[in-house]
Amino acid sequence: GVEDAAAVIKDPARLRASFPRMMWGTPDEFAEQARELLDTGLDALVVNLPANGQDPAIVRLAGETLDAVLPSR
């Protein structure tokens, strides 16, 4: 467990270490995280938007953001 969750949330490095398979942030931050994963040799990503995937604008933004970094099909 985590003694002080607020401290983890405020520290991006600790947050990333606590949730290494989750991506979040601005579109640019999200794209950079996706690039880092793809640079390991992955050729695809599976994305779930549990917090706001019901919002078509968010789904569109995620798609546009990922389309810019995914390898050509």
Side-chain angles (χ1 to χ4, degrees):
V2 174
E3 288 184 30
D4 184 7
V8 173
I9 291 169
K10 292 177 184 176
D11 182 347
R14 286 183 66 192
L15 188 59
R16 188 96 173 115
S18 298
F19 301 98
R21 294 184 180 165
M22 294 181 71
M23 299 189 308
W24 60 85
T26 66
D28 288 340
E29 292 167 335
F30 187 76
E32 179 58 30
Q33 293 170 49
R35 275 189 213 97
E36 288 173 5
L37 288 171
L38 293 168
D39 286 347
T40 67
L42 296 175
D43 60 2
L45 299 173
V46 175
V47 177
N48 187 356
L49 303 169
N52 47 15
Q54 75 284 357
D55 182 340
I58 295 296
V59 174
R60 185 177 322 104
L61 179 59
E64 290 169 352
T65 301
L66 288 170
D67 189 53
V69 298
L70 287 171
S72 298
R73 300 177 235 359

